Amino acid sequence: MDDTAIGRARVSDTPELKEYYKELAALDAGALWTVANEIEPWYPQPRSVPTLWRYEELRPLVRKALPLVQADDAGRRVVMLVNPGRRELSAAVGLLYTGLQIMGPGEAMTAHRHQASALRFVIEGTGAWTVVDGQKIRVGPRDFAITPNNTWHEHGNESSDAPVIWQDGLDIPLVNALDAGFYEVLPGLYQPVESSTLRYGGHLLPYGDIWRKPYSPIFAYPWDESYAALRSFPVQSPFDGVIMEYSNPVTGGSVMPTMSAHLQLLAPGFVSQEHRHTGSVVYTAALGRGYSVVDGQRFDWQEGDIFCVPSWAWHSHANVSSEDAVLFSFNDFPVMRSLGFYREEARCD
Ligand code: 1HN
């Protein structure tokens, strides 16, 4: 990985070249060899840095927003998690956005839709609901739900006493990097609710129905079922413990075309091997405590903590406690895979 080797750009500046570069710049042009090594690195060079956001520290500030802004004035009342290397994109890692949204008891928000896809993972509180294209979905702690791109959505909290805090995950930085963003407010502001039971909620395909949309017809994945599935499965990955992908039952693939999500159980005493892959991942400690090592940096996490793994960063996970530890995560692997960019490597030394 030597930039002075033949095959890499290795032209030294001279007074004539500097003059020449100025002439090119005046025409909005440039010499490729001045930037070639930077724009074609030997391997991915993410600007994102491994980061841990502690729930204990963020929670008081998220709650502070409740009386400070009306949810509908803010659009959504969300504290976003900003990677120090991605501030200009409002990204948590790579081209993924995440934030903590708080909804007060009895609160209901207006509907909108956008090109970005969204997912939710409930951190605390009961009584949260979201209406996605007319279907009302109720979610409780550790439940996972999706709001695929261009679906109308509005949310609320029907509990009488406590706020709900859920984590939003969106692909907005990706959509913006591709200059493909659109946003609409629903005329009339609120969706008529077609059904308070989910059409495909029991994983049953209604008679005469063919699902043709590019995302999962199962909009919500309740924690109890997911955790029970993890606990009953005997095979574990050396890198991730018992890991399962929330899937679209129509395709067997990811829940949405741009983002996928996983749930993984690290059994007591489990210490994973290290691996790395292209694609960015945002992890949330759903249950228990443990630690992850990302690019040599150790992050000790407990419930509600969120951390990220930038593309191609070595990482491993461990649970040295005597209780189960579960990580929820979402990623951009479907984008990587569909473009042929996915690569993975195990550390063997
Ligand atoms: C959005 O629509 C929601 O609907 C949350 O709850 C966070 C962040 C950026 C853009 C749109 C929501 C968002 C968002």
Side-chain angles (χ1 to χ4, degrees), residues 45-270:
Q45 303 282 344
R47 299 254 163 92
S48 307
V49 293
T51 306
L52 169 72
W53 292 272
R54 286 194 179 81
Y55 192 59
E56 206 174 67
E57 292 175 343
L58 279 170
R59 185 175 184 270
L61 290 180
V62 173
R63 290 178 67 99
K64 206 169 174 173
L66 203 51
L68 284 178
V69 290
Q70 295 291 323
D72 260 331
D73 289 341
R76 300 292 190 237
R77 194 191 294 104
V78 183
V79 169
M80 59 181 184
L81 309 188
V82 185
N83 193 288
R86 300 299 264 176
R87 282 188 224 282
E88 73 287 3
L89 301 181
S90 300
V93 62
L95 296 173
L96 297 173
Y97 158 100
T98 202
L100 292 170
Q101 174 157 186
I102 183 162
M103 294 180 286
E107 195 163 50
M109 273 163 277
T110 55
H112 64 213
R113 67 176 177 181
H114 38 68
Q115 192 81 302
S117 297
L119 53 83
R120 328 281 171 192
F121 186 74
V122 181
I123 308 284
E124 64 169 279
T126 54
W129 54 267
T130 172
V131 179
V132 181
D133 272 353
Q135 292 199 75
K136 186 161 183 174
I137 297 159
R138 291 185 168 78
V139 284
R142 304 189 182 94
D143 290 350
F144 168 67
I146 58 168
T147 311
N149 84 321
N150 288 320
T151 53
W152 292 109
H153 55 284
E154 65 203 76
H155 328 298
N157 170 2
E158 60 198 14
S159 86
S160 53
D161 50 357
V164 165
I165 299 177
W166 75 27
Q167 181 186 0
D168 296 307
L170 289 97
D171 56 6
I172 314 166
L174 171 70
V175 172
N176 288 339
L178 296 171
D179 289 333
F182 291 92
Y183 185 97
E184 290 166 86
V185 173
L186 182 72
L189 300 180
Y190 300 97
Q191 298 176 76
V193 175
E194 283 167 16
S195 155
S196 62
T197 51
L198 273 179
R199 195 167 165 82
Y200 297 85
H203 300 197
L204 297 165
L205 184 68
Y207 172 73
D209 207 319
I210 301 173
W211 183 259
R212 296 186 195 280
K213 296 184 175 163
Y215 48 82
S216 173
I218 298 179
F219 288 89
Y221 296 73
W223 162 257
D224 288 346
E225 286 173 26
S226 310
Y227 183 43
L230 276 183
R231 288 202 58 138
S232 67
F233 195 70
V235 181
Q236 57 178 20
S237 143
F239 310 110
D240 287 301
V242 181
I243 184 162
M244 293 188 177
E245 183 178 15
Y246 291 95
S247 81
N248 174 352
V250 179
T251 60
S254 57
V255 285
M256 295 186 285
T258 54
M259 292 186 292
S260 174
H262 291 88
L263 203 59
Q264 69 194 86
L265 169 67
L266 311 176
F270 175 82

